[in-house]
Amino acid sequence: MNAPAFPAEPRLTSLSHGGGCGCKIAPGVLSDILKGSNGLPMPPELLVGIETADDAAVYQLNDEQALIATTDFFMPIVDDAYDFGRIAATNAISDVYAMGGTPIMALALVGMPINVLSTTTIGRILDGGQAVCKAAGIPIAGGHTIDSVEPIYGLVALGLVHPQRVKRNADAKVGDRLILGKPLGVGVLSAALKKEKLDAAGYAQMIATTTKLNTPGPELAALAGVHALTDVTGFGLAGHALELARGANCSVEIDWARVPLLTGVRELASQGFVTGASGRNWAGYGASVTLPSGFAPVDQALLSDPQTSGGLLVSCGPETVPQVLEIFRRHGFEAAAEIGAVTDAAPGRLLVR
């Protein structure tokens, strides 16, 4: 007698109300939630806390070492279990690179609807995360699991950095140039995928960018001319550029024509494949953004498009731009581009040209 067939499992993306970094709480709501947190006492060894919404916490251990600690997790952005694990792990480790550090180990965070997904599927998600950690040269040394209504996967990522090489998102200087390491458009591709309108080439492009580790981080941090570093994730390019501007009490200008985009995303966005998170992002910070006359709604959507496992955003002196771009190219980031500058025209604002 044949064993009964395992019932068909639902698409992973059908189980989540939001995917990837589009799951983030909207910036305006998050600001409201955290408004009382800055008053808490902080030890002097805590070099980076929550005061500027930076990518990770940094705690000085001694004169030569500081510990970077971060965590990131989300619901599925793709239906392939292995790819979901890879994307989530790459995204979590990125915050260590964004502080200028080298990852040393990770802990897995796993919440799965065990009555809906098979152990095989769940195992494939974990295998994907393990593969990325292996590529980053770190072990998954433990973690925690729960039975959850929606599938959730991510990592606690730990790293080390020399205290003098910590790169915060708040130390940009007037006159700096901005360089973006990866093209934008992951949110648009994910929206098209969820509606089954993303072709094979688009999917391959999406996986390639979201599983590419931001390994230039430590080398960039070693450059004296690099003043600030962050990664562009759920709040979109506009949101993370505003964090740079507010943290340094300066303004950021972006030359939109120079911002790299993933192939085909402008066309997809014009067809309506835009995440709800893009609109929530804009509602949270759009009043702090100055757009040029006639700026198209599709471009506004791309400016606030949530990036899952997005690229590094570097603020550096003009003389350092060639070195920064050379490091990016050497690590395989061919789309890296200079996209704007830091000015004192309107402190705390983003100006799009």
Side-chain angles (χ1 to χ4, degrees):
M1 181 177 178
N2 293 330
F6 191 87
E9 294 183 45
R11 295 175 63 200
L12 286 178
T13 53
S14 73
L15 298 175
S16 57
H17 72 279
C21 285
C23 298
K24 280 190 174 182
I25 294 175
V29 178
L30 183 60
S31 177
D32 232 20
I33 293 171
L34 298 177
K35 61 186 176 184
S37 301
N38 284 338
L40 298 174
M42 298 293 176
E45 294 86 359
L46 188 65
L47 303 181
V48 182
I50 65 172
E51 58 279 355
T52 62
D54 218 323
D55 300 295
V58 182
Y59 189 94
Q60 185 166 349
L61 301 174
N62 51 54
D63 290 343
E64 301 293 323
Q65 293 176 313
L67 179 68
I68 300 170
T70 183
T71 185
D72 216 316
F73 52 89
F74 45 63
M75 283 86 80
I77 188 173
V78 295
D79 293 312
D80 184 278
Y82 186 75
D83 286 343
F84 170 39
R86 293 168 66 207
I87 294 167
T90 306
N91 180 72
I93 296 170
S94 179
D95 286 339
V96 173
Y97 293 128
M99 301 306 301
T102 300
I104 56 172
M105 72 173 184
L107 306 174
L109 301 173
V110 184
M112 294 291 156
I114 58 174
N115 62 327
V116 176
L117 297 178
S118 69
T119 55
T120 299
T121 296
I122 297 170
R124 288 291 289 166
I125 295 171
L126 272 58
D127 287 345
Q130 180 69 55
V132 164
C133 287
K134 182 178 180 181
I138 63 172
I140 294 181
H144 186 62
T145 61
I146 62 168
D147 185 0
S148 171
V149 175
E150 294 179 286
I152 297 169
Y153 179 69
L155 300 175
V156 172
L158 301 174
L160 290 174
V161 64
H162 192 288
Q164 294 180 1
R165 288 187 176 178
V166 175
K167 296 299 178 181
R168 304 193 310 154
N169 67 353
D171 294 329
K173 299 181 184 299
V174 172
D176 276 0
R177 301 295 188 264
L178 295 179
I179 298 173
L180 179 63
K182 290 184 182 181
L184 303 180
V186 172
V188 170
L189 295 180
S190 70
L193 176 67
K194 195 159 188 176
K195 295 179 181 179
E196 302 187 67
K197 297 296 184 181
L198 186 65
D199 61 20
Y203 183 78
Q205 180 182 208
M206 179 181 174
I207 298 303
T209 191
T210 55
T211 60
K212 190 168 185 60
L213 289 161
N214 279 321
T215 52
E219 283 191 62
L220 294 171
L223 298 177
V226 170
H227 302 133
L229 193 59
T230 189
D231 61 350
V232 178
T233 54
F235 297 148
L237 177 59
H240 294 285
L242 275 169
E243 288 175 349
L244 286 179
R246 291 165 177 166
N249 194 32
C250 58
S251 54
V252 166
E253 295 186 1
I254 289 178
D255 183 347
W256 183 245
R258 301 182 69 176
V259 174
L261 301 176
L262 290 164
T263 302
V265 295
R266 199 171 192 282
E267 293 75 13
L268 286 169
S270 68
Q271 295 168 31
F273 296 109
V274 177
T275 68
S278 179
R280 291 192 296 273
N281 281 344
W282 192 257
Y285 56 61
S288 298
V289 181
T290 300
L291 299 176
S293 176
F295 198 70
V298 66
D299 291 313
Q300 179 182 306
L302 288 166
L303 188 61
S304 60
D305 186 53
Q307 302 306 290
T308 300
S309 191
L312 295 176
L313 182 61
V314 185
S315 180
C316 66
E319 73 286 347
T320 311
V321 170
Q323 290 172 276
V324 170
L325 289 173
E326 189 277 328
I327 289 171
F328 272 122
R329 301 283 188 266
R330 185 155 35 81
H331 284 258
F333 290 78
E334 299 300 328
E338 183 181 344
I339 64 166
V342 179
T343 76
D344 57 1
R349 293 190 64 83
L350 169 64
L351 312 175
V352 182
R353 307 300 188 196

